Amino acid sequence: MTWGMVEPKNFGEWWPDPQRGFYTWDETLQTYYDTEMSEADKVALDMADGVNRFTFSRKFTTDMGPVDRGECPQVYETRKPLKKLGALIMLSSGFLAVDEALKAVIETLEPDVHQFYPLRIEDQKAVAFPKAYFGLVIRQFRDSFRPDDSKEGSWEKMELVEGYSVVYELKEHINGLAMSTEAIGEAHLWRESVLSSPTVFFSDALQAEIKRQGLRVPKHFKVIEV
């Protein structure tokens, strides 16, 4: 089975409300730009004239190659103290983070595939959330969506970019999406290259281990396998 994950739409357990968010990241990126990026890399990323935060942020959610440790944010500030957070959470600009338990599950199923980096989650008084979290960069992309095998009305073509999206991130629509098992292969955690929503997919093995350990993740629904 394959599962498509719904991005949280409201602030809470799976999307902590940001105050300043990644408020130290601009300084981090400037240091990386000044001390570690080659001139060729700057030109390749269209940054010959200076840092482009948007381009850097895309490296964490799209297929632009590995992310260097020096590019990673270090702190995320929330608007108020947090009582609880899920095992997988979304942050500003679609960034993802996981707790230690889910990190261990992912690394067991897919060792040396995805990237993780330490991320301090704190409130406005600089009090850190008591559990450790790690930024997650999903490093697998698949082209497995099959619109012709999907249920009519479950998907639509994107208007501004080439690709597809589920019509609404509701169970009945995600249940209507068809994905090729051959294209998915042995992947357990991945993003789709031409399907922009849902943005994250789980294998049945990953979903089963999440459920077995009682880890709380955003809503996710089965898709059709073909």
Side-chain angles (χ1 to χ4, degrees), residues 33 37 39-52 55 64:
Y33 181 90
M37 286 186 74
E39 293 304 316
D41 287 340
K42 293 175 183 177
V43 171
L45 292 174
D46 196 24
M47 294 192 201
D49 297 326
V51 173
N52 185 324
T55 298
M64 294 176 63

Side-chain angles (χ1 to χ4, degrees), residues 41-97:
D41 287 340
K42 293 175 183 177
V43 171
L45 292 174
D46 196 24
M47 294 192 201
D49 297 326
V51 173
N52 185 324
R53 178 170 171 159
F54 174 72
T55 298
F56 275 118
S57 68
R58 289 184 64 240
K59 295 187 71 175
F60 290 77
T61 59
T62 61
D63 192 8
M64 294 176 63
V67 174
D68 190 277
R69 182 66 187 89
E71 300 173 80
C72 298
Q74 302 169 0
V75 183
Y76 187 83
E77 184 186 86
T78 62
R79 189 173 299 279
K80 56 186 178 181
L82 301 169
K83 295 182 179 180
K84 64 179 180 178
L85 283 176
L88 187 156
I89 59 176
M90 186 179 75
L91 305 172
S92 300
S93 302
F95 280 55
L96 299 174

Side-chain angles (χ1 to χ4, degrees), residues 34 43-44 61 75 78 80 106 114-115 133 169 175 184 200:
D34 292 338
V43 171
T61 59
V75 183
T78 62
K80 56 186 178 181
I106 295 169
H114 308 287
Q115 292 185 261
Y133 274 80
E169 286 192 328
N175 285 165
I184 293 169
V200 177

